[in-house]
Amino acid sequence: MAASGLKCFEMAITPRSGSEIRAAFLKFFEQRGHKPMASASLVPEDPTVLLTIAGMLPFKPVFLGQQQRPAARVTSSQKCIRTNDIENVGRTARHHTYFEMLGNFSFADYFKEEAIKWAWELSTEVYGLDPKNLVVSVFREDDEAEQIWRDLVGVKPNRIIRMDEADNFWASGPTGPCGPCSEIYYDFKPELGDIGIDLEDDSRFIEFYNLVFMQYNRNAEGELTPLAKPCIDTGMGLERMAQILQQVPNNYETDLIYPLIETAANLAAINYQNLDSKGQTSLKVIADHSRAITQLICDGVTASNLGRGYILRRLLRRVVRHGRLLGIEKPFLATMGEASIALMAAAYPQLLERRELILVELAREETRFLETLDRGEKLLAELLAANPLQISGEQAFELYDTYGFPLELTEEIAAEHGLKVDLAGFEMAMQAQRERAKAAAVSIDLTLQAAIDQVVAVSAITTFNGYKQLNQTATALALLVNGAVAQQANSGDQVQLILDATPFYGEGGGQVGDQGLLANSAVKVAINSVTRNRNVYVHSGQVESGSIAVGDVVQAQVDAKFRRCAQANHTATHLLQAALKQLVDPAISQAGSLVDFDRLRFDFHSPRAITPSELDQIEALINSWITAAHSLQVSEMPIEQAKAAGAVAMFGEKYGDLVRVVDVPGVSMELCGGTHVANSAELGVFKIISEAGVAAGVRRIEAVAGSALLPYLNQRDEVVKALTERFKVQPAEILERVALLQEELKATGKALAAAREELALVKAAALLNQAETVGDYQILVARLDGIGADGMQTAAQQLQEQLGASAAVLLAGVAEPAKVALVAAFGPELIKRGLQAGKFVGAIAKICGGGGGGRPNLAQAGGKDPAALAEALAAAKRDLLVSLKNNQKG
């Protein structure tokens, strides 16, 4: 076990600011032999979680023995996102979505004694915390930890609290490495004494440092066995330590967050200190979420309705909602983004590098949501206009879920109209949605992946030789047959094979895995995909003949034709990024890619579309680089050397200390593990197929290079031949012919519309004698079939004008099967009396299974039940008669 280390930390004054606290932590452990590690992306490699939720998550493969340790000891400040307690954000003193976790880790190096001593030394000597304010917890069975705290550190026995497994035992899952925890709490009220300490009392205690002692392995039966090489995993909440040292009542009033509260308060022209708890909560939510959304966008997340994109969108919309509650009507997310970048850029300089992208995404998503919010407000106004007894839970939930309309705002507006919201019904609808989401989540079949993970966890790393050869001898180390671990596979079986070495490229970096054969005299296995799982290569395919068993030696043969296609498209991807940076914007960065055998797809961050002219220039530039026959240079070097040389790294991608650099001299230099051509001339020709937007601020270019271009051109040629034969023209004349046909179709459409409108007016004229006089008013309710909605609207408006200012006209008919059209036109005298065409026709349309609305004087609606049309017309006439008799003039 390593020595405890020298007390060589020097700090002139006690750290107080957030940046000082972070720097002091990292320096303290660096002086004790820990390698400082930069924060990993919020988008994790771990497929079991959407976002980085803990400081240890980037090191989880190391703890599980699936990845080599970066050093024996490391320290980091890891940015994290959690949304499981999102409703508590701003309401409690220390719940956040975005937070930083300071950590020190030992990978089979030091253990409990050093971890505990250093945690105490850091807390009391560096951060200057008075020992009388500190309480520690230990697992109920961890006598060793308690003894170290009591006898070696000197903590009073009454301030060492034993706790159960739920609080003080950590596990990565049902099986695998696990161990007890020990936590340090700060006591805000030490004068209450040491008797009967309750660490669940949030008003008195805050847990700020958690030490995990990974010392056991748990098997499937739940049995614990000691690990041969125990590890240490710790976490200190930066925001929590800032609250303690800055002596403020909550995390939000620290210098890590409070400047954002002030920014939002200034936008709303209010003072945080003068607000009630509801107003302060809104400012805290805005500040907290602003940090989260800024960092998420920086790490490549774009707003969407799925996965981490949905989390981003939800946080964005919560910021806007709470801004509206505070009276901020104008767009303000970009302002909060600017303030967040300024606040965090010293620790995370990549925020400055991606500033423009972040602000564009914030502004675009806010504009989109404000439009949605406006629609929600209009829908709520319609609900209130219908004079309900209350807003139902289903209606409130639709406003919340579909239109992003806050429940509290629905309650507030409803109260202004003397109504309540069915909160119990709302909660039932919310719970039903949670159940649907839960059912959808558990319906995903993870059986195969779980089996693969199980095999990979105990397999040796596969040696990849595919950069230099496409054929080699290999031994089968493990085997899955039809998704289950097996020792042998026979003809027809679907298999996953792990080899000791392979020439097959495993899917990664956007490039698909190789295809080919595994064979010997007794078996032939067709491989259709290869994936990488923790540097173990999994070869998937089908046994075409014979049988294969674990331990068999096979010849692994990559299909050279498919490899050539993939590597041509991969090199073309590098050239495409270089061309975009040169011709469009040097700040353009990759957002994702796909390198397949028949095409390439390149996603990139851009606030605007690429013009046709720019696409032509990009294509021409890339083809000039191909013609120039650049010889590619591939080398390995330390990552800092590669970055200094100008190599482009994909932001958010995890790289080791030694990286592979692919250089097209004078054109492109990127960090890349994919396969590439030896010379750009091998690409032959590059052709862009399409350019389009795929998400807010993200564009996509699809293209083809090399021999894969021939099938694409052949397909296009077949289409051209078919068009020339159909139109009886030469290829160059096709565009002109299509344009002429479009003009003819447009003219025919106009003529048809005019004829329909003329027919509607002719039919309508015959209805005038059906008008009825009701006191001072004229009403006409009639059926008019075979007329479209536009023609019916023209007819209704003309009939109303002919009947006069005191006329009400409602026409309805079946224009096409299963489609009812209704139009109402009311004269100005009716509108003065409070009658509105939009509300009236919308109510009548419901009888036909539809709805609609419009202006007070002219509105149209639709329905799906023609059989109910007679009933709807009768109801319309009856309701008009009643309304007009009750609204006689004078």
Side-chain angles (χ1 to χ4, degrees), residues 422-436:
D422 178 11
L423 298 180
F426 176 88
E427 185 54 38
M428 286 178 62
M430 177 73 82
Q431 186 59 37
Q433 186 200 51
R434 292 191 189 109
E435 293 299 326
R436 288 192 297 271

PDB file of all heavy atoms in Angstrom, residues 422-436:
ATOM      1  N   ASP A 422     -58.285  20.708 -12.240  1.00  0.00           N
ATOM      2  CA  ASP A 422     -58.364  19.382 -11.616  1.00  0.00           C
ATOM      3  C   ASP A 422     -56.948  18.832 -11.462  1.00  0.00           C
ATOM      4  O   ASP A 422     -56.434  18.132 -12.338  1.00  0.00           O
ATOM      5  CB  ASP A 422     -59.230  18.461 -12.485  1.00  0.00           C
ATOM      6  CG  ASP A 422     -59.307  17.040 -11.920  1.00  0.00           C
ATOM      7  OD1 ASP A 422     -58.873  16.832 -10.759  1.00  0.00           O
ATOM      8  OD2 ASP A 422     -59.780  16.152 -12.634  1.00  0.00           O
ATOM      9  N   LEU A 423     -56.320  19.134 -10.318  1.00  0.00           N
ATOM     10  CA  LEU A 423     -54.925  18.734 -10.101  1.00  0.00           C
ATOM     11  C   LEU A 423     -54.781  17.226  -9.970  1.00  0.00           C
ATOM     12  O   LEU A 423     -53.799  16.644 -10.419  1.00  0.00           O
ATOM     13  CB  LEU A 423     -54.376  19.431  -8.860  1.00  0.00           C
ATOM     14  CG  LEU A 423     -54.342  20.974  -8.915  1.00  0.00           C
ATOM     15  CD1 LEU A 423     -53.775  21.539  -7.619  1.00  0.00           C
ATOM     16  CD2 LEU A 423     -53.523  21.447 -10.101  1.00  0.00           C
ATOM     17  N   ALA A 424     -55.774  16.589  -9.360  1.00  0.00           N
ATOM     18  CA  ALA A 424     -55.722  15.133  -9.230  1.00  0.00           C
ATOM     19  C   ALA A 424     -55.777  14.475 -10.603  1.00  0.00           C
ATOM     20  O   ALA A 424     -55.053  13.507 -10.885  1.00  0.00           O
ATOM     21  CB  ALA A 424     -56.877  14.642  -8.361  1.00  0.00           C
ATOM     22  N   GLY A 425     -56.634  14.994 -11.481  1.00  0.00           N
ATOM     23  CA  GLY A 425     -56.724  14.467 -12.840  1.00  0.00           C
ATOM     24  C   GLY A 425     -55.443  14.708 -13.616  1.00  0.00           C
ATOM     25  O   GLY A 425     -55.006  13.869 -14.416  1.00  0.00           O
ATOM     26  N   PHE A 426     -54.810  15.882 -13.375  1.00  0.00           N
ATOM     27  CA  PHE A 426     -53.544  16.189 -14.027  1.00  0.00           C
ATOM     28  C   PHE A 426     -52.486  15.172 -13.607  1.00  0.00           C
ATOM     29  O   PHE A 426     -51.738  14.654 -14.436  1.00  0.00           O
ATOM     30  CB  PHE A 426     -53.090  17.606 -13.656  1.00  0.00           C
ATOM     31  CG  PHE A 426     -51.738  17.978 -14.207  1.00  0.00           C
ATOM     32  CD1 PHE A 426     -51.621  18.537 -15.467  1.00  0.00           C
ATOM     33  CD2 PHE A 426     -50.577  17.760 -13.474  1.00  0.00           C
ATOM     34  CE1 PHE A 426     -50.374  18.880 -15.984  1.00  0.00           C
ATOM     35  CE2 PHE A 426     -49.330  18.088 -13.978  1.00  0.00           C
ATOM     36  CZ  PHE A 426     -49.238  18.654 -15.238  1.00  0.00           C
ATOM     37  N   GLU A 427     -52.414  14.887 -12.310  1.00  0.00           N
ATOM     38  CA  GLU A 427     -51.421  13.943 -11.807  1.00  0.00           C
ATOM     39  C   GLU A 427     -51.668  12.542 -12.357  1.00  0.00           C
ATOM     40  O   GLU A 427     -50.727  11.792 -12.658  1.00  0.00           O
ATOM     41  CB  GLU A 427     -51.432  13.921 -10.278  1.00  0.00           C
ATOM     42  CG  GLU A 427     -50.350  13.045  -9.664  1.00  0.00           C
ATOM     43  CD  GLU A 427     -48.941  13.373 -10.148  1.00  0.00           C
ATOM     44  OE1 GLU A 427     -48.640  14.571 -10.330  1.00  0.00           O
ATOM     45  OE2 GLU A 427     -48.160  12.433 -10.369  1.00  0.00           O
ATOM     46  N   MET A 428     -52.956  12.156 -12.514  1.00  0.00           N
ATOM     47  CA  MET A 428     -53.272  10.848 -13.095  1.00  0.00           C
ATOM     48  C   MET A 428     -52.776  10.773 -14.536  1.00  0.00           C
ATOM     49  O   MET A 428     -52.217   9.763 -14.963  1.00  0.00           O
ATOM     50  CB  MET A 428     -54.786  10.607 -13.039  1.00  0.00           C
ATOM     51  CG  MET A 428     -55.314  10.287 -11.640  1.00  0.00           C
ATOM     52  SD  MET A 428     -57.114  10.074 -11.625  1.00  0.00           S
ATOM     53  CE  MET A 428     -57.303   8.655 -12.715  1.00  0.00           C
ATOM     54  N   ALA A 429     -52.985  11.858 -15.298  1.00  0.00           N
ATOM     55  CA  ALA A 429     -52.519  11.884 -16.685  1.00  0.00           C
ATOM     56  C   ALA A 429     -50.990  11.842 -16.742  1.00  0.00           C
ATOM     57  O   ALA A 429     -50.406  11.169 -17.596  1.00  0.00           O
ATOM     58  CB  ALA A 429     -53.044  13.134 -17.387  1.00  0.00           C
ATOM     59  N   MET A 430     -50.358  12.547 -15.811  1.00  0.00           N
ATOM     60  CA  MET A 430     -48.898  12.539 -15.756  1.00  0.00           C
ATOM     61  C   MET A 430     -48.378  11.144 -15.424  1.00  0.00           C
ATOM     62  O   MET A 430     -47.419  10.651 -16.021  1.00  0.00           O
ATOM     63  CB  MET A 430     -48.422  13.545 -14.706  1.00  0.00           C
ATOM     64  CG  MET A 430     -46.916  13.580 -14.510  1.00  0.00           C
ATOM     65  SD  MET A 430     -46.038  14.364 -15.886  1.00  0.00           S
ATOM     66  CE  MET A 430     -46.260  16.085 -15.431  1.00  0.00           C
ATOM     67  N   GLN A 431     -49.027  10.479 -14.460  1.00  0.00           N
ATOM     68  CA  GLN A 431     -48.608   9.142 -14.072  1.00  0.00           C
ATOM     69  C   GLN A 431     -48.804   8.153 -15.214  1.00  0.00           C
ATOM     70  O   GLN A 431     -47.977   7.257 -15.427  1.00  0.00           O
ATOM     71  CB  GLN A 431     -49.396   8.678 -12.837  1.00  0.00           C
ATOM     72  CG  GLN A 431     -48.924   7.349 -12.258  1.00  0.00           C
ATOM     73  CD  GLN A 431     -47.468   7.360 -11.844  1.00  0.00           C
ATOM     74  OE1 GLN A 431     -46.964   8.356 -11.348  1.00  0.00           O
ATOM     75  NE2 GLN A 431     -46.773   6.245 -12.068  1.00  0.00           N
ATOM     76  N   ALA A 432     -49.892   8.324 -15.961  1.00  0.00           N
ATOM     77  CA  ALA A 432     -50.141   7.444 -17.107  1.00  0.00           C
ATOM     78  C   ALA A 432     -49.025   7.592 -18.137  1.00  0.00           C
ATOM     79  O   ALA A 432     -48.569   6.603 -18.728  1.00  0.00           O
ATOM     80  CB  ALA A 432     -51.490   7.768 -17.733  1.00  0.00           C
ATOM     81  N   GLN A 433     -48.553   8.820 -18.332  1.00  0.00           N
ATOM     82  CA  GLN A 433     -47.459   9.030 -19.272  1.00  0.00           C
ATOM     83  C   GLN A 433     -46.170   8.364 -18.765  1.00  0.00           C
ATOM     84  O   GLN A 433     -45.428   7.764 -19.528  1.00  0.00           O
ATOM     85  CB  GLN A 433     -47.219  10.528 -19.495  1.00  0.00           C
ATOM     86  CG  GLN A 433     -46.182  10.791 -20.596  1.00  0.00           C
ATOM     87  CD  GLN A 433     -45.585  12.178 -20.503  1.00  0.00           C
ATOM     88  OE1 GLN A 433     -45.123  12.578 -19.453  1.00  0.00           O
ATOM     89  NE2 GLN A 433     -45.610  12.902 -21.600  1.00  0.00           N
ATOM     90  N   ARG A 434     -45.924   8.483 -17.436  1.00  0.00           N
ATOM     91  CA  ARG A 434     -44.737   7.844 -16.872  1.00  0.00           C
ATOM     92  C   ARG A 434     -44.782   6.334 -17.081  1.00  0.00           C
ATOM     93  O   ARG A 434     -43.778   5.699 -17.399  1.00  0.00           O
ATOM     94  CB  ARG A 434     -44.643   8.154 -15.376  1.00  0.00           C
ATOM     95  CG  ARG A 434     -44.355   9.608 -15.042  1.00  0.00           C
ATOM     96  CD  ARG A 434     -44.021   9.749 -13.567  1.00  0.00           C
ATOM     97  NE  ARG A 434     -43.956  11.140 -13.162  1.00  0.00           N
ATOM     98  CZ  ARG A 434     -44.864  11.741 -12.379  1.00  0.00           C
ATOM     99  NH1 ARG A 434     -45.884  11.031 -11.908  1.00  0.00           N
ATOM    100  NH2 ARG A 434     -44.744  12.999 -12.049  1.00  0.00           N
ATOM    101  N   GLU A 435     -45.963   5.756 -16.908  1.00  0.00           N
ATOM    102  CA  GLU A 435     -46.115   4.315 -17.088  1.00  0.00           C
ATOM    103  C   GLU A 435     -45.875   3.912 -18.535  1.00  0.00           C
ATOM    104  O   GLU A 435     -45.269   2.886 -18.823  1.00  0.00           O
ATOM    105  CB  GLU A 435     -47.509   3.868 -16.628  1.00  0.00           C
ATOM    106  CG  GLU A 435     -47.750   4.000 -15.129  1.00  0.00           C
ATOM    107  CD  GLU A 435     -46.790   3.152 -14.317  1.00  0.00           C
ATOM    108  OE1 GLU A 435     -46.412   2.060 -14.782  1.00  0.00           O
ATOM    109  OE2 GLU A 435     -46.393   3.586 -13.218  1.00  0.00           O
ATOM    110  N   ARG A 436     -46.385   4.754 -19.456  1.00  0.00           N
ATOM    111  CA  ARG A 436     -46.163   4.465 -20.890  1.00  0.00           C
ATOM    112  C   ARG A 436     -44.676   4.510 -21.208  1.00  0.00           C
ATOM    113  O   ARG A 436     -44.151   3.672 -21.939  1.00  0.00           O
ATOM    114  CB  ARG A 436     -46.925   5.462 -21.766  1.00  0.00           C
ATOM    115  CG  ARG A 436     -48.429   5.256 -21.783  1.00  0.00           C
ATOM    116  CD  ARG A 436     -49.084   6.074 -22.886  1.00  0.00           C
ATOM    117  NE  ARG A 436     -48.918   7.501 -22.698  1.00  0.00           N
ATOM    118  CZ  ARG A 436     -49.762   8.263 -22.005  1.00  0.00           C
ATOM    119  NH1 ARG A 436     -50.828   7.715 -21.438  1.00  0.00           N
ATOM    120  NH2 ARG A 436     -49.568   9.560 -21.879  1.00  0.00           N
TER     121      ARG A 436
END
